[in-house]
Amino acid sequence: MIAFVALIAYALANVLSKNVAKHYTFTMVYSHGVMVALLMVFFHSYVHFSLNPLFILMGLSGTLSVTLFLKALSQHETSLVVPISAMSSVLTPIAGVVLFKESVNVFTAIALLLSFAAIIIISWKKDKAEITPIVYALLGAVFGTTFNLLTKYATLLYPTPYVTVMGELYVLFFITLSFLMKRSVPTHITHLRYIAIGVLLSIGAVAFYTSIKQLGVAITLTVLSATPVLTLLLAHLILKERLRTREYIGVGLMVLALILVQLSF
């Protein structure tokens, strides 16, 4: 199933990003540049540049989301940051109720409560150094939700591949501006890792939109809700990460919330 290709690609990209997250602006420019180049090749018939404010806002929110995610990843374990950042999958349907007059059911309501409970459990009795990356991950989720909502609105007006290309182009534009201001370049550049992240993100994006076209939104998002779980497994196997019992409980609640959101479709 093509949705599982997206699942594996995104989880691997999350794990590979851990060791290069310190120089996050360089990481974003390099890997995102590879991603955009591949997307433009795959969706070449949809490459028509536009100064539409909607795409510009998508670029800004997407850039802030990715920046905060990598900043959090540079300061804490992958297995903790990824589930918190994935909270955007819970917030998006809730916001859709207000903005798009969509219906909300008991699964979505319970998922939201579980998400907040998870944040409280994970954050309980932590010092400032530990709280900071959690805050970054939460803010990343908020901007990720904004990006999702803007994307959803844009797809009501334009073809999905066109929205994908334009949104990621503007993300790359703002990421490049951020890099030029910060100019944080690692002393040893592992080209293969950055290229691999970009390729995996591209495969994930293409597989994601192909799956939506073939299988629909509900089935695709249900499969992708397992991304934090697979990331946790890979982080344990590859990065040898360990969490405290309380953090495992919080992560488990967050994963359960994501599953409930997908069951609500």
Side-chain angles (χ1 to χ4, degrees), residues 53-253:
L54 182 58
F55 296 137
I56 295 174
L57 288 174
M58 284 175 60
L60 278 171
S61 58
T63 299
L64 289 170
S65 178
V66 175
T67 300
L68 288 164
F69 168 73
L70 288 176
K71 198 170 179 64
L73 200 60
S74 69
Q75 299 178 22
H76 218 305
E77 289 88 350
T78 308
S79 47
L80 183 68
V81 172
V82 170
I84 295 176
S85 298
M87 191 177 176
S88 59
S89 297
V90 178
L91 294 175
T92 299
I94 299 296
V97 174
V98 178
L99 298 177
F100 299 107
K101 308 301 180 183
E102 296 177 345
S103 59
V104 62
N105 57 36
V106 65
F107 287 124
T108 305
I110 293 174
L112 186 62
L113 292 176
L114 286 176
S115 298
F116 285 120
I119 299 303
I120 292 172
I121 291 172
I122 290 171
S123 306
W124 189 258
K125 292 184 178 179
K126 286 185 179 290
D127 56 36
K128 185 178 179 181
E130 291 181 302
I131 287 291
T132 301
I134 294 174
V135 172
Y136 285 148
L138 278 172
L139 289 174
V142 171
F143 284 111
T145 300
T146 304
F147 179 81
N148 291 340
L149 293 172
L150 289 170
T151 300
K152 184 169 185 175
Y153 179 68
T155 55
L156 298 176
L157 305 174
Y158 308 100
T160 299
Y162 178 59
V163 173
T164 304
V165 172
M166 290 309 305
E168 298 301 341
L169 268 175
Y170 272 108
V171 169
L172 179 60
F173 171 75
F174 287 115
I175 284 174
T176 303
L177 287 181
S178 176
F179 169 71
L180 291 175
M181 289 187 289
K182 191 174 181 64
R183 292 183 179 275
S184 176
V185 181
T187 54
H188 178 66
I189 301 174
T190 51
H191 293 280
L192 186 59
R193 183 184 292 271
Y194 294 113
I195 293 172
I197 294 171
V199 170
L200 286 169
L201 290 174
S202 303
I203 292 172
V206 172
F208 174 72
Y209 288 107
T210 302
S211 179
I212 285 179
K213 186 176 180 180
Q214 294 180 356
L215 304 173
V217 174
I219 295 177
T220 300
L221 292 181
T222 299
V223 173
L224 287 182
S225 67
T227 302
V229 180
L230 184 56
T231 301
L232 287 176
L233 178 61
L234 292 175
H236 176 73
L237 295 174
I238 299 173
L239 302 177
K240 308 300 181 184
E241 290 189 354
R242 298 290 188 275
L243 296 178
R244 284 168 284 190
T245 301
R246 185 176 69 250
E247 292 170 333
Y248 274 117
I249 293 173
V251 168
L253 288 176

